[in-house]
Coordinates of all heavy atoms in Angstrom, one line a residue:
A1 N -28.4 70.7 -0.1 CA -29.2 69.9 -1.1 C -29.8 70.9 -2.1 O -30.2 72.0 -1.7 CB -30.3 69.2 -0.4
P2 N -29.8 70.5 -3.3 CA -30.4 71.4 -4.4 C -31.8 71.7 -4.1 O -32.5 70.8 -3.7 CB -30.1 70.6 -5.7 CG -29.2 69.5 -5.4 CD -29.2 69.3 -3.9
S3 N -32.3 72.8 -4.4 CA -33.7 73.2 -4.2 C -34.6 72.6 -5.2 O -35.8 72.5 -5.0 CB -33.8 74.7 -4.2 OG -33.6 75.2 -5.5
G4 N -34.0 72.1 -6.4 CA -34.9 71.5 -7.4 C -35.5 72.6 -8.3 O -36.3 72.3 -9.2
R5 N -35.2 73.9 -8.1 CA -35.7 74.9 -8.9 C -34.9 75.2 -10.1 O -33.7 75.1 -10.1 CB -35.9 76.2 -8.1 CG -36.9 76.1 -7.0 CD -37.0 77.3 -6.2 NE -37.9 77.2 -5.1 CZ -38.6 78.1 -4.6 NH1 -38.4 79.3 -4.9 NH2 -39.4 77.8 -3.6
V6 N -35.5 75.6 -11.2 CA -34.8 76.0 -12.4 C -35.1 77.4 -12.7 O -36.2 77.9 -12.6 CB -35.3 75.2 -13.6 CG1 -34.7 75.6 -14.9 CG2 -35.1 73.7 -13.3
A7 N -34.1 78.2 -13.0 CA -34.2 79.6 -13.4 C -33.8 79.8 -14.8 O -32.6 79.4 -15.2 CB -33.5 80.5 -12.5
F8 N -34.6 80.4 -15.7 CA -34.2 80.7 -17.0 C -33.7 82.1 -17.1 O -34.2 83.0 -16.4 CB -35.4 80.5 -18.0 CG -35.7 79.0 -18.2 CD1 -36.6 78.4 -17.3 CD2 -35.1 78.2 -19.1 CE1 -36.9 77.0 -17.5 CE2 -35.3 76.9 -19.3 CZ -36.3 76.3 -18.5
L9 N -32.8 82.4 -18.0 CA -32.2 83.8 -18.2 C -33.0 84.6 -19.2 O -32.6 85.7 -19.6 CB -30.8 83.7 -18.7 CG -29.9 83.0 -17.7 CD1 -28.5 82.8 -18.3 CD2 -29.8 83.7 -16.4
E10 N -34.2 84.1 -19.6 CA -35.1 84.8 -20.6 C -36.5 84.4 -20.3 O -36.8 83.4 -19.7 CB -34.6 84.3 -22.0 CG -34.8 82.9 -22.3 CD -34.3 82.4 -23.6 OE1 -34.5 83.2 -24.6 OE2 -33.8 81.3 -23.7
E11 N -37.4 85.2 -20.8 CA -38.8 84.8 -20.9 C -38.8 83.7 -21.9 O -38.3 83.9 -23.0 CB -39.6 86.0 -21.3 CG -39.7 87.2 -20.3 CD -40.6 86.9 -19.1 OE1 -41.6 86.2 -19.3 OE2 -40.2 87.3 -18.0
A12 N -39.5 82.6 -21.6 CA -39.5 81.5 -22.5 C -40.8 80.8 -22.6 O -41.7 80.9 -21.7 CB -38.4 80.5 -22.1
Y13 N -41.0 80.0 -23.6 CA -42.1 79.1 -23.8 C -41.8 77.8 -23.2 O -40.9 77.1 -23.7 CB -42.6 79.0 -25.2 CG -42.9 80.4 -25.8 CD1 -42.0 81.0 -26.7 CD2 -44.1 81.0 -25.5 CE1 -42.3 82.2 -27.3 CE2 -44.3 82.3 -26.1 CZ -43.4 82.9 -26.9 OH -43.7 84.1 -27.5
L14 N -42.5 77.4 -22.1 CA -42.1 76.1 -21.4 C -43.3 75.1 -21.4 O -44.4 75.5 -21.4 CB -41.8 76.5 -20.0 CG -40.7 77.5 -19.7 CD1 -40.6 77.9 -18.2 CD2 -39.4 77.1 -20.2
I15 N -42.9 73.9 -21.3 CA -43.9 72.8 -21.1 C -43.3 71.9 -20.1 O -42.0 71.9 -19.9 CB -44.3 72.0 -22.3 CG1 -43.1 71.3 -22.9 CG2 -45.0 72.9 -23.4 CD1 -43.5 70.2 -24.0
S16 N -44.1 71.1 -19.4 CA -43.6 70.0 -18.5 C -43.1 68.9 -19.4 O -43.7 68.5 -20.3 CB -44.6 69.6 -17.5 OG -45.1 70.6 -16.8
D17 N -41.9 68.3 -18.9 CA -41.4 67.2 -19.6 C -42.2 65.9 -19.4 O -42.3 65.5 -18.2 CB -39.9 66.9 -19.2 CG -39.2 65.8 -19.9 OD1 -39.9 65.0 -20.6 OD2 -38.0 65.8 -19.9
P18 N -42.9 65.4 -20.4 CA -43.8 64.3 -20.1 C -43.1 63.0 -19.8 O -43.7 62.0 -19.4 CB -44.6 64.1 -21.5 CG -43.7 64.7 -22.5 CD -42.9 65.8 -21.8
H19 N -41.8 62.9 -20.0 CA -41.0 61.7 -19.7 C -40.3 61.7 -18.4 O -39.7 60.7 -18.0 CB -39.9 61.5 -20.8 CG -40.5 61.5 -22.2 ND1 -41.3 60.4 -22.7 CD2 -40.5 62.4 -23.2 CE1 -41.6 60.6 -23.9 NE2 -41.2 61.8 -24.2
M20 N -40.6 62.7 -17.6 CA -40.0 62.8 -16.3 C -41.0 62.6 -15.2 O -42.1 63.1 -15.3 CB -39.3 64.1 -16.1 CG -38.1 64.4 -17.0 SD -36.7 63.3 -16.9 CE -36.1 63.7 -15.3
S21 N -40.7 61.9 -14.2 CA -41.7 61.6 -13.1 C -41.8 62.9 -12.2 O -42.8 63.2 -11.6 CB -41.3 60.5 -12.2 OG -40.0 60.7 -11.6
Q22 N -40.7 63.7 -12.1 CA -40.7 65.0 -11.4 C -41.1 66.1 -12.4 O -40.8 66.0 -13.6 CB -39.4 65.3 -10.8 CG -39.0 64.2 -9.7 CD -37.6 64.6 -9.2 OE1 -36.9 65.4 -9.8 NE2 -37.2 63.9 -8.1
L23 N -41.7 67.1 -11.9 CA -42.0 68.3 -12.7 C -40.7 69.0 -13.2 O -40.0 69.5 -12.4 CB -42.9 69.2 -12.0 CG -43.4 70.5 -12.7 CD1 -44.2 70.0 -13.9 CD2 -44.2 71.4 -11.8
R24 N -40.4 68.9 -14.4 CA -39.2 69.5 -15.0 C -39.6 70.3 -16.3 O -40.2 69.6 -17.2 CB -38.1 68.5 -15.3 CG -37.7 67.8 -14.1 CD -36.3 67.4 -14.2 NE -35.9 66.8 -12.9 CZ -34.7 66.4 -12.7 NH1 -33.8 66.5 -13.6 NH2 -34.4 65.8 -11.6
P25 N -39.3 71.5 -16.4 CA -39.7 72.3 -17.6 C -38.8 72.0 -18.8 O -37.6 71.8 -18.6 CB -39.6 73.7 -17.1 CG -38.6 73.7 -16.1 CD -38.7 72.4 -15.4
L26 N -39.4 72.0 -19.9 CA -38.6 72.0 -21.2 C -38.8 73.4 -21.8 O -39.9 73.9 -22.0 CB -39.2 70.9 -22.1 CG -38.9 69.5 -21.8 CD1 -39.6 68.6 -22.8 CD2 -37.4 69.2 -21.8
C27 N -37.7 74.0 -22.2 CA -37.8 75.3 -22.9 C -38.0 75.0 -24.4 O -37.1 74.4 -25.0 CB -36.5 76.1 -22.6 SG -36.5 77.7 -23.4
L28 N -39.1 75.4 -25.0 CA -39.3 75.2 -26.4 C -38.9 76.4 -27.2 O -38.5 76.2 -28.4 CB -40.9 75.1 -26.6 CG -41.5 73.9 -25.9 CD1 -43.0 73.9 -26.2 CD2 -40.9 72.6 -26.4
G29 N -38.8 77.6 -26.6 CA -38.4 78.7 -27.4 C -38.6 80.0 -26.6 O -39.0 80.0 -25.5
S30 N -38.5 81.1 -27.4 CA -38.6 82.4 -26.8 C -38.8 83.4 -28.0 O -38.9 83.0 -29.1 CB -37.3 82.8 -26.0 OG -37.5 84.0 -25.3
D31 N -38.9 84.7 -27.7 CA -39.0 85.7 -28.7 C -37.6 86.3 -28.9 O -36.8 86.5 -28.0 CB -39.9 86.8 -28.3 CG -41.3 86.3 -28.1 OD1 -41.7 85.4 -28.8 OD2 -42.1 86.9 -27.2
C32 N -37.3 86.6 -30.2 CA -36.0 87.3 -30.5 C -36.0 88.6 -29.8 O -37.0 89.4 -29.8 CB -35.9 87.4 -32.0 SG -34.5 88.4 -32.6
S33 N -34.9 88.9 -29.2 CA -34.7 90.2 -28.4 C -34.6 91.4 -29.4 O -34.7 92.5 -28.9 CB -33.5 90.1 -27.5 OG -32.3 89.9 -28.3
V34 N -34.4 91.1 -30.7 CA -34.2 92.2 -31.6 C -35.5 92.5 -32.3 O -36.1 93.6 -32.3 CB -33.1 92.0 -32.6 CG1 -33.0 93.1 -33.6 CG2 -31.7 91.8 -31.9
C35 N -36.0 91.5 -33.0 CA -37.2 91.7 -33.9 C -38.5 91.2 -33.2 O -39.6 91.5 -33.7 CB -37.0 91.0 -35.2 SG -37.1 89.2 -35.2
G36 N -38.4 90.4 -32.1 CA -39.6 89.9 -31.4 C -40.2 88.7 -32.0 O -41.3 88.2 -31.6
R37 N -39.7 88.2 -33.1 CA -40.2 87.0 -33.7 C -40.1 85.8 -32.8 O -39.1 85.6 -32.1 CB -39.3 86.7 -34.9 CG -39.7 85.5 -35.8 CD -38.9 85.3 -37.0 NE -39.0 84.0 -37.5 CZ -38.0 83.3 -38.0 NH1 -36.8 83.8 -38.2 NH2 -38.2 82.1 -38.4
M38 N -41.1 84.9 -32.7 CA -41.2 83.7 -31.9 C -40.3 82.7 -32.5 O -40.5 82.4 -33.7 CB -42.6 83.2 -31.8 CG -42.8 82.1 -30.8 SD -44.5 81.4 -30.8 CE -45.5 82.9 -30.8
V39 N -39.3 82.1 -31.8 CA -38.4 81.2 -32.3 C -38.2 80.0 -31.4 O -38.4 80.1 -30.2 CB -37.0 81.8 -32.7 CG1 -37.1 82.7 -33.8 CG2 -36.4 82.4 -31.5
C40 N -37.9 78.8 -32.0 CA -37.6 77.7 -31.1 C -36.2 77.8 -30.7 O -35.4 78.6 -31.1 CB -37.9 76.3 -31.9 SG -36.7 76.0 -33.1
T41 N -35.7 76.8 -29.8 CA -34.4 76.9 -29.3 C -33.4 76.1 -30.2 O -32.2 76.1 -29.9 CB -34.3 76.3 -27.8 OG1 -34.8 75.0 -27.9 CG2 -35.1 77.2 -26.9
G42 N -33.9 75.5 -31.2 CA -33.0 74.7 -32.1 C -32.0 75.6 -32.8 O -32.2 76.8 -33.1
I43 N -30.8 75.1 -33.1 CA -29.7 75.9 -33.7 C -30.1 76.4 -35.1 O -29.5 77.4 -35.5 CB -28.4 75.0 -33.7 CG1 -27.2 75.9 -34.2 CG2 -28.5 73.9 -34.7 CD1 -26.8 77.0 -33.2
S44 N -31.0 75.8 -35.7 CA -31.5 76.3 -37.0 C -32.4 77.4 -36.9 O -32.8 78.1 -37.9 CB -32.1 75.2 -37.9 OG -33.3 74.7 -37.2
C45 N -32.9 77.7 -35.7 CA -33.9 78.8 -35.4 C -33.4 80.0 -34.7 O -33.7 81.1 -35.0 CB -35.1 78.2 -34.6 SG -36.0 77.0 -35.5
S46 N -32.5 79.7 -33.7 CA -32.1 80.8 -32.8 C -30.8 80.5 -32.1 O -30.3 79.4 -32.1 CB -33.2 81.1 -31.8 OG -33.3 80.1 -30.8
L47 N -30.3 81.6 -31.5 CA -29.1 81.5 -30.7 C -29.3 82.3 -29.4 O -29.9 83.4 -29.4 CB -28.0 82.2 -31.6 CG -26.7 82.6 -30.9 CD1 -25.9 81.3 -30.6 CD2 -25.9 83.5 -31.8
F48 N -28.8 81.8 -28.3 CA -28.8 82.5 -27.0 C -27.4 82.9 -26.6 O -26.5 82.0 -26.4 CB -29.4 81.6 -25.9 CG -29.6 82.4 -24.6 CD1 -30.7 83.2 -24.4 CD2 -28.6 82.4 -23.7 CE1 -30.8 84.0 -23.3 CE2 -28.7 83.2 -22.5 CZ -29.8 83.9 -22.3
Y49 N -27.2 84.2 -26.6 CA -25.9 84.7 -26.1 C -26.3 86.0 -25.3 O -26.6 87.0 -26.0 CB -24.9 85.0 -27.2 CG -23.7 85.7 -26.7 CD1 -22.7 84.9 -26.0 CD2 -23.5 87.0 -26.8 CE1 -21.6 85.5 -25.4 CE2 -22.3 87.6 -26.2 CZ -21.4 86.9 -25.6 OH -20.3 87.5 -25.0
T50 N -26.4 85.9 -24.1 CA -26.9 86.9 -23.1 C -28.4 87.2 -23.3 O -29.0 87.6 -22.4 CB -26.1 88.2 -23.2 OG1 -26.3 88.9 -24.4 CG2 -24.6 88.0 -22.9
R51 N -28.9 87.0 -24.5 CA -30.3 87.1 -24.8 C -30.6 86.3 -26.1 O -29.6 85.9 -26.8 CB -30.8 88.5 -24.9 CG -30.0 89.4 -25.8 CD -30.3 90.8 -25.7 NE -29.5 91.6 -26.6 CZ -30.0 92.6 -27.3 NH1 -31.2 93.0 -27.2 NH2 -29.1 93.3 -28.1
R52 N -31.8 86.1 -26.4 CA -32.2 85.2 -27.6 C -32.2 86.1 -28.9 O -32.7 87.2 -28.9 CB -33.6 84.7 -27.4 CG -34.1 83.8 -28.5 CD -33.6 82.4 -28.6 NE -33.5 81.8 -27.3 CZ -32.8 80.7 -27.1 NH1 -32.1 80.1 -28.0 NH2 -32.8 80.1 -25.9
F53 N -31.6 85.5 -30.0 CA -31.6 86.1 -31.3 C -32.1 85.1 -32.3 O -31.6 83.9 -32.3 CB -30.1 86.5 -31.7 CG -29.5 87.5 -30.8 CD1 -28.8 87.1 -29.7 CD2 -29.6 88.9 -31.1 CE1 -28.2 88.1 -28.8 CE2 -29.0 89.8 -30.4 CZ -28.3 89.5 -29.2
C54 N -33.0 85.5 -33.2 CA -33.4 84.6 -34.3 C -32.1 84.6 -35.2 O -31.2 85.4 -35.2 CB -34.6 85.1 -35.0 SG -34.4 86.7 -36.0
C55 N -32.1 83.6 -36.1 CA -30.9 83.4 -37.0 C -30.7 84.7 -37.9 O -29.6 85.1 -38.1 CB -31.1 82.2 -37.9 SG -30.9 80.7 -37.0
N56 N -31.8 85.3 -38.4 CA -31.6 86.5 -39.2 C -31.0 87.6 -38.4 O -30.1 88.3 -39.0 CB -33.0 86.9 -39.8 CG -33.5 85.9 -40.8 OD1 -32.7 85.2 -41.4 ND2 -34.8 85.9 -41.0
C57 N -31.4 87.9 -37.2 CA -30.9 89.0 -36.4 C -29.4 88.6 -36.0 O -28.6 89.5 -35.9 CB -31.8 89.3 -35.2 SG -33.3 90.1 -35.7
A58 N -29.2 87.4 -35.7 CA -27.8 87.0 -35.3 C -26.9 87.2 -36.5 O -25.8 87.8 -36.3 CB -27.8 85.5 -34.9
R59 N -27.3 86.8 -37.7 CA -26.5 87.0 -38.9 C -26.3 88.5 -39.2 O -25.2 88.9 -39.5 CB -27.1 86.4 -40.1 CG -27.0 84.9 -40.1 CD -27.6 84.3 -41.4 NE -28.0 82.9 -41.1 CZ -29.3 82.5 -41.2 NH1 -30.2 83.3 -41.6 NH2 -29.5 81.3 -40.9
A60 N -27.3 89.3 -39.0 CA -27.3 90.7 -39.3 C -26.3 91.4 -38.4 O -25.8 92.5 -38.7 CB -28.6 91.3 -39.2
N61 N -26.1 90.8 -37.2 CA -25.2 91.5 -36.1 C -24.0 90.6 -35.8 O -23.5 90.7 -34.7 CB -26.1 91.7 -34.9 CG -27.2 92.7 -35.1 OD1 -27.0 93.9 -35.3 ND2 -28.4 92.2 -35.2
H62 N -23.6 89.8 -36.8 CA -22.5 88.8 -36.5 C -21.3 89.4 -36.0 O -20.6 88.8 -35.2 CB -22.3 87.9 -37.7 CG -21.6 88.7 -38.8 ND1 -22.3 89.5 -39.7 CD2 -20.3 88.7 -39.2 CE1 -21.4 90.0 -40.6 NE2 -20.2 89.5 -40.3
D63 N -20.9 90.7 -36.3 CA -19.7 91.3 -35.8 C -19.8 91.7 -34.3 O -18.8 91.9 -33.7 CB -19.4 92.6 -36.6 CG -19.0 92.3 -38.1 OD1 -18.5 91.2 -38.3 OD2 -19.2 93.2 -38.9
E64 N -21.0 91.6 -33.8 CA -21.2 92.0 -32.4 C -21.0 90.8 -31.5 O -20.9 91.0 -30.3 CB -22.6 92.6 -32.1 CG -23.0 93.7 -33.0 CD -22.1 95.0 -32.7 OE1 -21.8 95.2 -31.5 OE2 -21.6 95.7 -33.6
F65 N -20.9 89.6 -32.0 CA -20.7 88.4 -31.2 C -19.2 88.1 -31.1 O -18.5 88.3 -32.0 CB -21.4 87.2 -31.8 CG -22.9 87.3 -31.8 CD1 -23.6 87.9 -32.9 CD2 -23.6 86.8 -30.7 CE1 -25.0 88.0 -32.8 CE2 -25.0 86.9 -30.7 CZ -25.7 87.5 -31.7
P66 N -18.8 87.6 -29.9 CA -17.4 87.2 -29.8 C -17.0 86.1 -30.7 O -17.9 85.3 -31.0 CB -17.3 86.9 -28.3 CG -18.6 86.6 -27.8 CD -19.6 87.4 -28.7
E67 N -15.8 86.0 -31.0 CA -15.3 84.9 -31.9 C -15.7 83.5 -31.4 O -16.1 82.6 -32.2 CB -13.8 85.0 -32.0 CG -13.2 83.9 -32.9 CD -13.7 84.0 -34.4 OE1 -14.0 85.1 -34.8 OE2 -13.9 82.9 -35.0
E68 N -15.6 83.3 -30.1 CA -15.9 82.0 -29.5 C -17.4 81.6 -29.8 O -17.7 80.5 -30.2 CB -15.7 82.0 -28.0 CG -16.1 80.7 -27.3 CD -15.1 79.6 -27.4 OE1 -14.1 79.8 -28.0 OE2 -15.4 78.5 -26.9
C69 N -18.3 82.6 -29.7 CA -19.7 82.3 -30.0 C -19.9 82.1 -31.5 O -20.6 81.1 -31.9 CB -20.5 83.6 -29.6 SG -22.3 83.4 -29.8
R70 N -19.2 82.8 -32.3 CA -19.3 82.6 -33.8 C -18.8 81.2 -34.2 O -19.3 80.5 -35.0 CB -18.6 83.7 -34.6 CG -19.3 85.0 -34.5 CD -18.7 86.0 -35.4 NE -17.3 86.2 -35.1 CZ -16.8 87.4 -34.9 NH1 -17.5 88.5 -35.1 NH2 -15.5 87.5 -34.6
R71 N -17.7 80.8 -33.4 CA -17.2 79.4 -33.7 C -18.2 78.3 -33.3 O -18.3 77.4 -34.0 CB -15.8 79.3 -33.0 CG -15.1 78.0 -33.3 CD -13.8 77.8 -32.6 NE -13.9 77.9 -31.1 CZ -14.3 76.8 -30.4 NH1 -14.7 75.7 -31.0 NH2 -14.4 77.0 -29.1
L72 N -18.7 78.5 -32.1 CA -19.6 77.4 -31.6 C -21.0 77.4 -32.4 O -21.6 76.4 -32.5 CB -19.9 77.7 -30.1 CG -18.7 77.4 -29.2 CD1 -19.0 77.9 -27.8 CD2 -18.3 76.0 -29.2
A73 N -21.4 78.5 -32.9 CA -22.6 78.5 -33.7 C -22.3 78.7 -35.2 O -22.9 79.5 -35.9 CB -23.5 79.7 -33.2
R74 N -21.4 78.0 -35.6 CA -20.8 78.0 -37.0 C -22.0 77.9 -38.0 O -21.9 78.5 -39.0 CB -19.8 76.9 -37.2 CG -19.0 77.1 -38.4 CD -17.9 76.1 -38.5 NE -16.9 76.6 -37.5 CZ -16.2 75.7 -36.7 NH1 -16.4 74.4 -36.7 NH2 -15.3 76.2 -35.8
D75 N -23.0 77.0 -37.8 CA -24.0 76.8 -38.7 C -24.8 78.1 -39.0 O -25.2 78.3 -40.1 CB -25.0 75.7 -38.3 CG -24.5 74.3 -38.3 OD1 -23.4 74.1 -38.9 OD2 -25.1 73.5 -37.7
I76 N -24.9 79.0 -38.0 CA -25.6 80.2 -38.2 C -24.7 81.2 -38.9 O -25.0 81.8 -39.9 CB -26.1 80.8 -36.9 CG1 -27.2 80.0 -36.3 CG2 -26.5 82.2 -37.0 CD1 -27.6 80.3 -34.9
F77 N -23.5 81.4 -38.4 CA -22.6 82.4 -38.9 C -21.9 82.1 -40.2 O -21.5 83.1 -40.9 CB -21.6 82.8 -37.8 CG -22.3 83.5 -36.6 CD1 -22.4 82.8 -35.4 CD2 -23.0 84.7 -36.7 CE1 -23.0 83.4 -34.3 CE2 -23.6 85.3 -35.7 CZ -23.6 84.6 -34.5
E78 N -21.7 80.9 -40.6 CA -21.1 80.6 -41.8 C -21.9 81.0 -43.0 O -21.4 81.3 -44.1 CB -20.8 79.1 -42.0 CG -19.5 78.7 -41.2 CD -19.2 77.2 -41.4 OE1 -20.0 76.5 -42.0 OE2 -18.1 76.9 -41.0
R79 N -23.2 81.1 -42.8 CA -24.1 81.6 -43.9 C -23.9 83.0 -44.2 O -24.1 83.5 -45.3 CB -25.6 81.4 -43.5 CG -25.9 79.9 -43.3 CD -27.3 79.7 -42.9 NE -27.6 78.3 -42.5 CZ -28.5 78.0 -41.7 NH1 -29.3 78.8 -41.1 NH2 -28.6 76.7 -41.3
V80 N -23.4 83.8 -43.2 CA -23.0 85.2 -43.4 C -21.9 85.3 -44.4 O -21.9 86.0 -45.3 CB -22.7 85.9 -42.0 CG1 -22.1 87.3 -42.3 CG2 -23.9 86.0 -41.2
A81 N -20.8 84.5 -44.1 CA -19.6 84.5 -44.9 C -20.0 84.0 -46.3 O -19.3 84.5 -47.3 CB -18.6 83.6 -44.3
A82 N -20.9 83.1 -46.5 CA -21.2 82.6 -47.8 C -22.2 83.6 -48.5 O -22.6 83.3 -49.7 CB -21.9 81.2 -47.7
G83 N -22.7 84.6 -47.8 CA -23.6 85.6 -48.4 C -25.0 85.1 -48.5 O -25.8 85.5 -49.4
K84 N -25.4 84.1 -47.7 CA -26.7 83.5 -47.7 C -27.6 84.3 -46.8 O -27.2 84.9 -45.8 CB -26.7 82.1 -47.3 CG -26.0 81.3 -48.4 CD -26.0 79.8 -48.0 CE -25.1 79.0 -49.0 NZ -25.0 77.7 -48.6

């Protein structure tokens, strides 16, 4: 039987999900592993690939990410190609 425990791969800002009868955490965000900026988990704010990156740091290091990651996070990385 599952233990009911959740493990996050990063230090994160968590709250309890108010819509669940059982205690379940919601991950709201974390700090960028490069610049330390506090970011939410939304695709317009950050990217998690082995660790959390704000959009600016992800764009600045886009060549370091695998092609699959760049394809899945197209909204972030297309701005690099467009020079934004």
Side-chain angles (χ1 to χ4, degrees):
S3 67
R5 294 183 183 200
V6 175
F8 289 91
L9 300 175
E10 62 184 324
E11 294 284 326
Y13 301 104
L14 306 172
I15 64 167
S16 297
D17 186 342
H19 302 289
M20 299 297 293
S21 60
Q22 298 176 347
L23 182 63
R24 297 209 178 182
L26 287 176
C27 180
L28 299 178
S30 187
D31 296 330
C32 174
S33 61
V34 177
C35 70
R37 182 177 161 217
M38 188 185 314
V39 292
C40 74
T41 57
I43 190 65
S44 63
C45 293
S46 69
L47 166 72
F48 185 86
Y49 176 75
T50 69
R51 54 193 179 134
R52 180 76 47 195
F53 295 88
C54 71
C55 287
N56 291 335
C57 291
R59 286 185 207 116
N61 296 287
H62 70 280
D63 290 336
E64 303 297 322
F65 291 90
E67 181 60 37
E68 177 78 3
C69 184
R70 289 188 301 230
R71 185 179 60 76
L72 292 172
R74 192 169 290 139
D75 289 346
I76 292 173
F77 294 113
E78 280 185 349
R79 293 180 196 154
V80 171
K84 296 179 184 175

